Amino acid sequence: MKQKSKQPHPRVYRQIPMLQADPAEGLSPQETKLRQSNGLSNIMPPSNTKSEGQIIKENVLTFFNLIFLVLALCLCLVGSFKNLMFLLVAVANTVVGSFQEIRAKRAVDKLTLVAAGTAKAIRSGQRVSVRTDQLVRDDIVEFAAGDQICADAVVRDGQLQVNESLLTGEADAILKNPGDTLKSGSFVISGRARVQLTHVGSESYAAKLAAEARRNVRSTKSEMMLSLTKLITVVGIALIPLGIILFLRHFLSVFQGLPLRDSVESTVSALIGMIPEGLYLLTSVAIAASCLKLSRKRVLVQDMNCIETLAHVDVLCVDKTGTITEPTMEVTDVYPLNSERFSYDDIEKILAAFYHGEEPDNETARAMGQQFAGETTWRAVKRMAFSSSTKWSGADFGENGRYVVGAPEFIMGDRYDSIRSEAEPWSERGCRVLLLAAYDTAFDDGPLQSAHVAPIALVFLSNLLRPDAQETFRYFASQGVSVRVISGDNPITVAQVAARAGIENADRYVDAMTLSTEQDFEEAVKYYTVFGRVTPEQKRYLVRAFQKQGHTVAMTGDGVNDVLALKDANCGIAMASGSQAASQVAQIVLLNSQFSAMPAIVAEGRRVINNIQRAASLFLVKNIFSFALTLLLLFIDMPYPLLPIQLSLISTFTIGIPSFFLALEPNYARVEGKFMRNVIRRAMPGGLTNLTIVLLAGFFTSTFGLSNEQLNTICVWVMSAVGLVTLYHVSVPFTRLRLAVLAAMTAAMLFSLLVIPAFFDLPALNASSALILVTLLLACPTVMRFFRVIFDKRVAKLDLAPAKKQKKRHRFEK
């Protein structure tokens, strides 16, 4: 018997033993290739984003497409082929929706590849930049402040402080020394170390956690998409029983039984009228097109739901460095505090030793290292890495002494008043102030003991204001978006920079060190514009405090200290040039790291939602009318007054084509209120006007003994008029495009009704039916105005309570 060849085990890479790679040398090219060929690359499992096949499948295999197919078969069985015109709309919706979503997906995929993280790997003794998905197990990788740990690892050389809040929810910094393990998904707060990767790809902790989460997670939808889903669910549940009952009511009516063909046509028309066939699709397409438009501006949208959130943003929280100012810094001046003991040369010698041989963890350290780049014979026996929570770093040079550099308030503690007069004038000029001080006791893991601190000198650094900062903040002020500056720097410094950038009320600043309780934060956000000396955890508190006040908050940031706030904000926006951790948790990533792109992003969110609201109101006019009429027809002896082809005519020129143009035009007004309430407010007057006029038409035609065909013609004319009037109200205030659309749709409708009525099964009217039509057309504006007044008053009452709360808040701020 022939023996079958043994297939290799899918996890044969486990047979490759772990190496103790030299942190200075790393892997050789041969060792790297061996691991890549055996599945040991850091390639994550495929994301849960849809494939192109899934997109097409989801657009084709919808509940309403199934309903359309069943209705089309019913019409075919009774030989009513002309009334199949509604299938063209369904096919067009499916094709356009699939095309736009695939197009947007491809654009986002390209940007995702561009935005993929990189890491510094040590290979053959050289430090090289490698994409994280090209790393392999046993690679030596160098991590520093701001990096996200991309695979499980063990520290081989150096020291790190890491934050595992994205994995555990705990925000406390954890010190990692050689031999300690690192979990993928955590990020580095401070320090620098070389680590060896131990578990990569799907074997890493973060990948396993994500896989477990994907088994139970439900994709969150925005308020708008949830509203539309609920609407479609209700319609879908009611559709089948209503259709069956209505057919039986028409076909088996004791008073006026209709032939089978007429009963089928009337029932199909009623059901088609109830289906918002293009509304959900229009919304998805508009959001996908918006993501595509932003991608052309080098903006990566990682969560499509944030498009709607952007439209509601009324508070924008920004950091100073990298947002208001350029991220790079330069040393402006040095001010000795103990010139009798330390000369300028001594200060430069200490700072040169302090930053010698150390890779800078942030822009401040980089500027100091460039300014004080002299040679030194001092060697540090111990270093204390900078932390955004302690705001200082230290070095122990043995017999040459111990020194610390950092924020004066944090180093001096309760002795800060002794140097306040020297430091704050520079802060008021917008400079960052650092203190160099001697420390006469051993470093430990606790805070500095201020009694052992001896000030040596103040070092002043400055950032350049971004050239587009003033124009950007003027835009937000004009749009009613309140800008708040949240920074870890001195509040006086931050306020000065904010004033130079033109931020309103920049003189209202507070030191976050004075805020301790939740109530303190809630009171502070009502009044202050600038928050200084804010820790990463406090940034999160401030975001939550704004949200408790009823604000929709967008947070921009580029550093590790921004990550917690970015995660909790309604919309987190990260600069790609900043830390990898910030880009990972944000919903939007600015790939060019230009804050000037923010106005266009917010405006795009507003444009999409405003236009969808306008278009949605057109769709719901028909749905409200058809749903209400269908319910009434179960109790009154009257056939559904429209054929499917006639309903398609009305839908095409009063809903379909206009909504396409309305969804694409500029519309940057601030979005207020709830989506569905806004839509129903606009749609209900038109829907109820249609219902009222059609019922009157049915009453008159029955009274005067007119045929159902005459009733059809009257109703088509009336509903066309109401649809165009609704389009008129939706288009106010007029632009050239809106006026052109209204004129074109009116002309197309008149052409169809007057020139080719036979194609739509519209017989000519006799004298009695013409008189009824004229009377109803004249009544339409009055009925429409009546319902508009009723719903405007109703909405005003609903808005009264929030308006009172807003008024009270404004009074407090004054």
Side-chain angles (χ1 to χ4, degrees):
M1 183 177 179
K2 187 177 180 180
Q3 186 177 4
K4 294 182 179 179
S5 61
K6 187 175 181 180
Q7 296 295 326
H9 193 277
R11 298 201 175 190
V12 67
Y13 61 82
R14 288 186 171 178
Q15 299 174 6
I16 299 176
M18 289 281 294
L19 287 178
Q20 281 294 320
D22 184 350
E25 287 296 321
L27 297 181
S28 66
Q30 294 79 12
E31 291 169 332
T32 302
K33 288 181 180 178
L34 176 64
R35 282 153 180 76
Q36 288 174 341
S37 62
N38 282 275
L40 278 170
S41 296
N42 190 41
I43 299 174
M44 292 296 175
S47 66
N48 55 358
T49 56
K50 301 175 187 174
S51 66
E52 293 183 7
Q54 287 175 316
I55 291 174
I56 294 173
K57 181 180 178 180
E58 289 184 7
N59 278 278
V60 173
L61 302 180
T62 66
F63 174 74
F64 286 127
N65 278 353
L66 175 61
I67 294 294
F68 283 139
L69 181 60
V70 173
L71 296 179
L73 291 174
C74 292
L75 290 174
C76 290
L77 291 175
V78 297
S80 183
F81 299 106
K82 184 187 290 188
N83 284 300
L84 295 174
M85 187 176 175
F86 67 89
L87 286 180
L88 297 178
V89 177
V91 171
N93 283 338
T94 302
V95 171
V96 172
S98 301
F99 173 76
Q100 284 281 33
E101 201 169 344
I102 289 173
R103 190 180 177 199
K105 168 192 162 53
R106 290 177 178 176
V108 170
D109 285 348
K110 289 179 181 178
L111 286 185
T112 304
L113 186 62
V114 172
T118 58
K120 299 295 184 183
I122 309 301
R123 290 182 176 174
S124 300
Q126 300 294 319
R127 190 172 65 167
V128 295
S129 182
V130 179
R131 267 202 1 224
T132 54
D133 59 354
Q134 295 177 351
L135 294 171
V136 297
R137 198 198 68 187
D138 297 326
D139 250 328
I140 298 295
V141 180
E142 188 173 270
F143 287 124
D147 292 337
Q148 186 170 39
I149 297 170
C150 54
D152 295 350
V154 60
V155 179
R156 296 294 306 280
D157 183 41
Q159 187 182 71
L160 297 172
Q161 277 190 317
V162 300
N163 187 305
E164 297 180 349
S165 62
L166 295 182
L167 303 174
T168 65
E170 299 294 332
D172 294 335
I174 302 172
L175 188 66
K176 298 290 185 177
N177 293 304
D180 292 339
T181 58
L182 299 171
K183 292 180 179 179
S184 55
S186 55
F187 52 89
V188 181
I189 297 176
S190 63
R192 181 176 294 274
R194 291 188 177 183
V195 308
Q196 181 172 343
L197 304 187
T198 55
H199 296 90
V200 295
S202 60
E203 296 297 308
S204 68
Y205 179 81
K208 290 179 178 178
L209 198 66
E212 181 64 27
R214 277 196 294 268
R215 294 192 184 103
N216 302 313
V217 74
R218 294 183 180 180
S219 59
T220 57
K221 293 184 179 180
S222 62
E223 184 259 337
M224 177 181 66
M225 298 304 287
L226 283 173
S227 298
L228 292 176
T229 301
K230 289 179 181 177
L231 172 67
I232 290 173
T233 301
V234 170
V235 172
I237 292 173
L239 205 62
I240 297 175
L242 280 178
I244 295 172
I245 297 172
L246 184 62
F247 170 76
L248 296 175
R249 183 78 173 90
H250 283 336
F251 187 61
L252 302 177
S253 173
V254 175
F255 300 100
Q256 189 181 352
L258 296 177
L260 177 61
R261 174 168 175 163
D262 293 349
S263 298
V264 170
E265 289 177 345
S266 294
T267 303
V268 169
S269 296
L271 296 182
I272 291 174
M274 291 167 56
I275 298 173
E277 70 275 8
L279 180 54
Y280 195 89
L281 185 61
L282 173 72
T283 303
S284 301
V285 168
I287 292 178
S290 181
C291 294
L292 179 63
K293 184 176 180 180
L294 289 174
S295 72
R296 297 190 183 117
K297 299 180 180 179
R298 306 286 295 166
V299 174
L300 174 60
V301 179
Q302 301 191 122
D303 180 2
M304 291 178 67
N305 290 325
C306 71
I307 296 292
E308 179 184 354
T309 305
L310 287 172
H312 294 276
V313 165
D314 59 353
V315 170
L316 174 63
C317 298
V318 300
D319 193 10
K320 176 179 76 71
T321 306
T323 302
I324 303 176
T325 62
E326 298 284 357
T328 55
M329 303 193 73
E330 61 181 1
V331 176
T332 304
D333 204 352
V334 177
Y335 182 82
L337 295 172
N338 190 353
S339 56
E340 295 179 358
R341 182 179 173 188
F342 296 96
S343 65
Y344 275 104
D345 290 341
D346 293 331
I347 294 169
E348 289 189 355
K349 184 177 181 180
I350 294 170
L351 290 173
F354 198 94
Y355 291 101
H356 179 74
E358 285 293 301
E359 290 289 340
D361 292 337
N362 49 55
E363 287 298 331
T364 301
R366 187 172 289 107
M368 294 287 283
Q370 290 175 350
Q371 180 69 27
F372 305 103
E375 293 296 325
T376 181
T377 58
W378 292 11
R379 293 292 178 265
V381 296
K382 184 177 182 180
R383 288 190 179 272
M384 301 296 291
F386 175 83
S387 167
S388 57
S389 57
T390 62
K391 299 190 184 300
W392 59 268
S393 57
D396 184 346
F397 295 103
E399 62 182 14
N400 291 312
R402 303 177 193 88
Y403 302 92
V404 292
V405 176
E409 302 96 314
F410 282 74
I411 293 176
M412 296 296 293
D414 54 9
R415 296 172 54 209
Y416 175 62
D417 285 341
S418 64
I419 61 170
R420 184 188 296 272
S421 59
E422 287 85 3
E424 291 197 350
W426 288 87
S427 297
E428 293 171 358
R429 292 168 54 184
C431 290
R432 176 174 292 179
V433 181
L434 296 181
L435 172 65
L436 168 65
Y439 194 59
D440 63 8
T441 189
F443 291 121
D444 55 35
D445 294 335
L448 292 176
Q449 302 175 44
S450 59
H452 294 278
V453 174
I456 298 175
L458 293 173
V459 183
F460 310 112
L461 302 93
S462 61
N463 295 101
L464 297 176
L465 197 68
R466 282 188 179 270
D468 47 23
Q470 292 182 340
E471 181 181 353
T472 302
F473 290 122
R474 275 197 301 270
Y475 165 83
F476 285 118
S478 68
Q479 295 296 310
V481 177
S482 176
V483 177
R484 308 296 179 97
V485 185
I486 302 177
S487 174
D489 290 342
N490 186 297
I492 302 173
T493 304
V494 182
Q496 176 67 25
V497 173
R500 286 167 49 204
I503 296 175
E504 292 183 350
N505 301 318
D507 57 329
R508 297 182 180 181
Y509 60 86
V510 65
D511 190 331
M513 294 175 65
T514 64
L515 308 176
S516 56
T517 67
E518 185 176 336
Q519 186 177 0
D520 290 340
F521 285 97
E522 292 179 6
E523 291 297 321
V525 298
K526 296 176 182 178
Y527 180 79
Y528 294 109
T529 298
V530 174
F531 300 84
R533 295 301 181 202
V534 185
T535 65
E537 189 64 28
Q538 287 178 322
K539 288 190 177 186
R540 165 185 274 183
Y541 293 155
L542 287 170
V543 167
R544 290 177 177 176
F546 282 119
Q547 292 169 334
K548 285 185 178 180
Q549 297 293 324
H551 295 293
T552 302
V553 182
M555 173 77 193
T556 67
D558 62 351
V560 174
N561 59 335
D562 299 316
V563 169
L564 299 176
L566 287 171
K567 182 183 176 185
D568 279 10
N570 298 96
C571 184
I573 303 165
M575 310 288 179
S577 61
S579 70
Q580 184 182 354
S583 295
Q584 290 288 340
V585 301
Q587 286 97 343
I588 290 178
V589 180
L590 307 182
L591 295 181
N592 287 339
S593 300
Q594 295 295 326
F595 181 67
S596 57
M598 281 300 303
I601 295 173
V602 173
E604 181 62 19
R606 292 181 173 184
R607 184 192 70 80
V608 170
I609 304 306
N610 281 324
N611 289 339
I612 289 175
Q613 285 189 1
R614 287 180 181 273
S617 63
L618 294 178
F619 281 94
L620 288 191
V621 167
K622 180 193 71 170
N623 304 140
I624 291 170
F625 156 75
S626 192
F627 194 83
L629 181 60
T630 301
L631 289 176
L632 289 175
L633 292 181
L634 300 180
F635 305 100
I636 63 176
D637 193 46
M638 172 183 167
Y640 192 85
L642 296 168
L643 296 175
I645 193 172
Q646 296 163 354
L647 201 59
S648 297
L649 168 67
I650 297 170
S651 298
T652 299
F653 294 126
T654 65
I655 300 174
I657 297 176
S659 65
F660 174 79
F661 286 100
L662 289 176
L664 297 178
E665 70 167 347
N667 189 348
Y668 304 120
R670 181 178 167 185
V671 177
E672 297 181 352
K674 296 292 185 179
F675 172 80
M676 191 52 68
R677 200 174 84 189
N678 291 342
V679 171
I680 290 178
R681 174 192 171 187
R682 289 176 172 174
M684 193 65 80
L688 294 181
T689 299
N690 272 334
L691 180 64
T692 303
I693 299 298
V694 166
L695 289 175
L696 287 173
F699 172 75
F700 288 139
T701 53
S702 176
T703 301
F704 291 101
L706 301 177
S707 65
N708 289 339
E709 289 74 15
Q710 295 284 301
L711 175 62
N712 287 356
T713 302
I714 293 173
C715 289
V716 169
W717 273 91
V718 170
M719 288 188 62
S720 299
V722 173
L724 292 173
V725 171
T726 303
L727 179 58
Y728 168 85
H729 287 296
V730 167
S731 300
V732 174
F734 278 110
T735 62
R736 289 183 178 180
L737 175 62
R738 295 177 192 172
L739 191 60
V741 170
L742 179 61
M745 295 303 99
T746 303
M749 186 65 75
L750 290 174
F751 175 83
S752 302
L753 296 177
L754 296 173
V755 179
I756 54 172
F759 180 78
F760 297 100
D761 292 335
L762 297 173
L765 298 178
N766 56 32
S768 299
S769 55
L771 180 60
I772 294 172
L773 175 59
V774 171
T775 303
L776 294 176
L777 288 175
L778 292 175
C780 280
T782 303
V783 177
M784 175 81 78
R785 191 176 301 112
F786 170 76
F787 285 119
R788 285 178 63 84
V789 169
I790 289 178
F791 279 91
D792 285 343
K793 287 183 178 180
R794 176 60 180 164
V795 171
K797 288 182 180 180
L798 291 173
D799 290 337
L800 187 59
K804 287 182 178 179
K805 291 182 181 179
Q806 187 75 8
K807 188 175 181 180
K808 287 181 180 179
R809 182 161 64 244
H810 289 170
R811 190 185 300 122
F812 174 84
E813 289 176 356
K814 290 178 182 179

